[in-house]
Amino acid sequence: MSYAPSAAAVKKIDGIIAPYPEKSAALLPVLRVVQDELGCVPPEAETWVAAKLGIQPIRIREVLSFYTMFRRRPAGKTIIQVCRNLSCTLAGAEDIIGFLKERLHVGPDGTTPDGRITLVTVECLGHCDHSPCLQIDGIDHGPVTRDGVAALLEELRAHE
Amino acid sequence: MSEDAVRLIPADEGSWRLEAYLRRGGYEAARKAVMSMAPADVITEVRKAGLRGRGGAGFPAGLKWSFVPQGGAGPKYLCVNADEGEPGTFKDRAILVRNPHQLIEGMTIAAFGVGIRKAFIYVRGEYGRIAGRLREAIAEAEDEGFLGGGIFGSGFDLEVIVHLGAGAYICGEETALLESIEGRRGQPRLKPPFPAVVGLFRAPTAINNVETLANVPLIIGRGADWFLGRGLPKDGGTRLFGVSGAVRRPGLYELPMGTQLRTIIEIHAGGPPEGVAIKAVIPGGLSAPALRPDELDVTMDFDALARAGSMLGSAGIIVIGDKIPILDVLKVMARFYAHESCGQCTPCRIGTSWIHKTVMRIGEGQGRASDLDHILRLADGMKGRTLCPMGDAAALPVQALVTKFRDELEKAVAR
Ligand SMILES: Cc1cc2nc3c(=O)[nH]c(=O)nc-3n(C[C@H](O)[C@H](O)[C@H](O)COP(=O)(O)O)c2cc1C
Ligand code: SF4
Ligand code: FES
């Protein structure tokens, strides 16, 4: 299967590449555009990106496997990232993670059976003064309690 | 003079907007530098101000800039380190959110001093939304002629590119950051050559932390002596102290360099909550060796903390209360470094994962009498034997916990 991003994405990608002295340097931001569009970076997209930036496909694989924010397989529509580093642990992060696992019926790094939500645990989100904290689709929340998390899940459901 | 004008984190409404920054006297220092100073004088003034790097190592910023070769026809780059991955640290986020123009102005002055025309701001991937605000600020500055071509109508140009990371602590290490901007895995490079000579795209490169650069307009605008007066005689300015953990008022406190650690915790952050006593304090991000409650009468500056056997690092203070088992702290620490090792050097790759496995085994009640010594030996084997400072950053805080809280950990092992 071959892949080509939408015209809008291609335009965005061209804009991203332009200021870099070497095209290949735009790899991380370009992969992000692809992932935003497809939900992950599948093998056929690797081929497209490699051709676009004039690099070997293996370079794409190397980068995808190194950075935790890149996914090679689809995840849920919504991604919940819960911090479990020290400040958050001191403030009860493990309890929040346990509560989320129970509510969503998934393990960490798991997706709900309906494909809606993926739960991942992460290291420090740089929001330690609001610990325990989490990020839902890029938006920070904290400090959160069990009740607060339940309300956030309700909100997600309401926005379906 | 309003206090907001000299704060890194101002309190005025809409503080991140250009008009608010201009009201606080923004871009006057850059105008002064570009229109009336020689580049070499900019570097001299910053050297006189004793501005030490706020990213972790505390290297003097002006001295670092002076290592970048002057003149020459080829490109040179400025890289801003906004990776902020050190656990317990949330200061650069605050600058990006509340005062992005002061960072941009600092970049302009630094670039003018070093003779740079292209800069990258490496923002950690998790700060994607914050990067959006930064891009807006850059566009505002370009529209007003404070950035881009012919700054202030002079012949000086500076182009700024925001580059988002994608989740990897090691990319905060300066040479890994360069690799990451070049579109590769964030694996640190062997030094020397130092980035000042061979850096981004093999060109001379200056790399500085967000907070470091945000201080530069204050130095150029008000002078090195004023800046030194705000801190210590050889270590000028204020510092953004982040406090999290067992305190009543977690948050960011902008105080003179050299403020007492105990004062920050007890007075500013309100001390531990009712019924909690302090068991340990990590003074400068997770990689800084922990201090015991009887070691808190130390001033928060690079040299004093080094003498106390720890480091100022990112000035992210984590207060650990007496209800938390030290083993839990050790578990988080061991997991973090094992997860974040880039894997290039054997002592770091094997050492961090072996320490992690040993700590987890103790946690499962399967501890062996030799485990703590084993951990200390593994940590010793990493120190000074790795390509980048992460080997030490992983070994030292583990050793400190095991040594200082040995009695408690022995009990966990024997359980
Ligand atoms: C493992 C590791 C992680 C680091 N992470 C950061 C970081 O997130 N932000 C930062 O500014 N410096 C970080 N540093 C320090 C940088 O390597 C470098 O010293 C700094 O960006 C220089 O800027 P400064 O002199 O203005 O402090 C890290 C260093 C190491 C070894
Ligand atoms: S010390 Fe660790 S993080 Fe640094 S280069 Fe070696 S393996 Fe990578
Ligand atoms: S430890 Fe959780 S945000 Fe820093």
Side-chain angles (χ1 to χ4, degrees):
Chain A
M1 205 170 71
S2 80
Y3 159 78
S6 66
V10 173
K11 191 162 166 245
K12 197 164 177 189
I13 287 170
D14 287 333
I16 287 171
I17 297 173
Y20 284 91
E22 294 173 10
K23 266 202 304 196
S24 55
L27 180 54
L28 266 65
V30 167
L31 289 174
R32 199 163 169 125
V33 175
V34 172
Q35 180 162 294
D36 283 347
E37 189 168 82
L38 299 179
C40 68
V41 185
E44 53 278 15
E46 287 177 20
T47 319
W48 186 89
V49 172
K52 181 81 184 168
L53 299 182
I55 50 183
Q56 292 295 324
I58 185 69
R59 281 244 341 243
I60 319 279
R61 189 66 65 91
E62 280 172 4
V63 162
L64 288 177
S65 60
F66 187 81
Y67 296 93
T68 55
M69 288 177 74
F70 290 131
R71 288 183 304 277
R72 295 184 48 228
R73 268 170 278 284
K77 256 176 58 195
T78 293
I79 299 192
I80 304 183
Q81 294 187 298
V82 197
C83 173
R84 66 185 311 193
N85 208 283
L86 188 55
S87 310
C88 288
T89 294
L90 297 175
E94 291 306 325
D95 182 60
I96 296 296
I97 293 166
F99 180 69
L100 274 162
K101 288 202 303 207
E102 194 184 295
R103 277 294 169 102
L104 298 173
H105 306 289
V106 294
D109 300 326
T111 300
T112 52
D114 59 5
R116 280 176 48 239
I117 300 174
T118 296
L119 178 68
V120 285
T121 55
V122 295
E123 300 298 349
C124 183
L125 287 168
H127 211 209
C128 328
D129 49 342
H130 292 80
S131 56
C133 68
L134 48 82
Q135 212 184 63
I136 302 181
D137 290 338
I139 301 179
D140 292 301
H141 302 272
V144 293
T145 57
R146 281 179 166 233
D147 286 349
V149 170
L152 287 169
L153 292 181
E154 269 314 306
E155 216 173 293
L156 278 178
R157 215 171 287 276
H159 280 281
E160 275 292 275
Chain B
M1 176 181 78
S2 98
E3 183 55 23
D4 264 347
V6 294
R7 278 205 194 131
L8 295 177
I9 313 295
D12 56 329
E13 183 142 349
S15 62
W16 58 91
R17 298 215 172 84
L18 180 61
E19 51 174 41
Y21 189 53
L22 293 176
R23 246 184 278 127
R24 298 196 300 272
Y27 288 105
E28 285 309 317
R31 187 186 303 274
K32 174 176 162 187
V34 171
M35 303 307 282
S36 67
M37 289 175 79
D41 294 342
V42 170
I43 297 183
T44 304
E45 194 68 16
V46 173
R47 282 185 72 164
K48 262 172 51 193
L51 172 64
R52 297 183 64 171
R54 272 39 172 173
F59 197 83
L63 184 59
K64 196 192 283 188
W65 299 347
S66 72
F67 296 152
V68 179
Q70 303 296 303
K76 294 183 229 175
Y77 298 103
L78 171 66
C79 291
V80 181
N81 193 337
D83 195 46
E84 189 150 83
E86 183 66 32
T89 314
F90 43 90
K91 65 191 182 68
D92 297 334
R93 163 200 286 262
I95 294 174
L96 296 173
V97 168
R98 302 221 37 109
N99 205 3
H101 281 288
Q102 193 157 325
L103 167 64
I104 295 168
E105 184 176 11
M107 291 172 66
T108 306
I109 297 169
F112 176 75
V114 186
I116 289 169
R117 291 166 166 260
K118 201 161 191 146
F120 291 84
I121 308 180
Y122 187 93
V123 183
R124 65 179 300 191
E126 295 85 348
Y127 286 2
R129 302 196 127 238
I130 297 168
R133 176 170 288 182
L134 182 60
R135 288 198 174 97
E136 278 172 34
I138 291 167
E140 276 183 322
E142 283 172 350
D143 283 348
E144 292 299 317
F146 300 152
L147 208 57
I151 294 175
F152 303 115
S154 73
F156 173 60
D157 312 328
L158 180 64
E159 183 187 6
V160 176
I161 298 152
V162 176
H163 185 97
L164 267 188
Y169 166 70
I170 192 60
C171 290
E173 193 280 332
E174 55 185 16
T175 59
L177 183 141
L178 299 178
E179 289 288 307
S180 190
I181 296 181
E182 291 183 9
R184 279 189 288 271
R185 298 178 142 222
Q187 292 186 316
R189 297 176 184 172
L190 190 64
K191 289 188 278 195
F194 289 92
V197 184
V198 183
L200 191 64
F201 305 115
R202 299 161 301 283
T205 303
I207 305 170
N208 287 105
N209 171 259
V210 170
E211 186 187 352
T212 310
L213 288 163
N215 273 297
V216 170
L218 298 175
I219 295 169
I220 297 303
R222 288 156 210 273
D225 291 334
W226 175 89
F227 191 76
L228 286 168
R230 304 257 297 167
L232 297 172
K234 284 186 176 159
D235 194 350
T238 60
R239 192 80 217 252
L240 294 174
F241 297 105
V243 190
S244 63
V247 291
R248 278 176 230 249
R249 290 188 297 275
L252 206 54
Y253 299 94
E254 183 171 357
L255 298 164
M257 188 71 85
T259 303
Q260 285 272 339
L261 175 56
R262 197 182 288 282
T263 306
I264 299 173
I265 296 171
E266 298 285 348
I267 309 293
H268 296 280
E274 190 76 40
V276 176
I278 295 174
K279 183 188 275 192
V281 173
I282 293 175
L286 195 70
S287 305
L291 301 171
R292 284 187 312 254
D294 61 329
E295 295 174 310
L296 305 185
D297 295 303
V298 60
T299 58
M300 289 292 279
D301 59 84
F302 292 102
D303 298 336
L305 275 163
R307 280 194 301 273
S310 185
M311 60 180 199
L312 181 58
S314 64
I317 300 165
I318 309 174
V319 180
I320 299 163
D322 60 353
K323 306 286 184 283
I324 303 288
I326 282 297
L327 186 65
D328 284 6
V329 178
L330 197 54
K331 273 190 204 166
V332 171
M333 206 177 254
R335 183 195 64 225
F336 177 71
Y337 293 111
H339 183 253
E340 302 299 337
S341 167
C342 86
Q344 272 192 115
C345 340
T346 311
C348 172
R349 182 182 67 243
I350 306 284
T352 53
S353 71
W354 209 343
I355 290 174
H356 181 222
K357 279 185 194 141
T358 310
V359 171
M360 292 314 280
R361 195 179 61 223
I362 299 172
E364 285 154 14
Q366 308 289 314
R368 297 173 196 159
S370 58
D371 276 350
L372 295 179
D373 286 325
H374 180 55
I375 291 171
L376 289 176
R377 228 177 6 256
L378 285 166
D380 237 3
M382 289 159 62
K383 276 193 301 187
R385 292 194 174 83
T386 56
L387 215 143
C388 93
M390 164 114 161
D392 284 15
L396 295 168
V398 167
Q399 281 189 326
L401 282 187
V402 173
T403 315
K404 292 184 181 181
F405 300 92
R406 179 123 194 172
D407 289 351
E408 185 187 327
L409 290 169
E410 294 280 8
K411 287 191 195 119
V413 171
R415 187 165 53 97

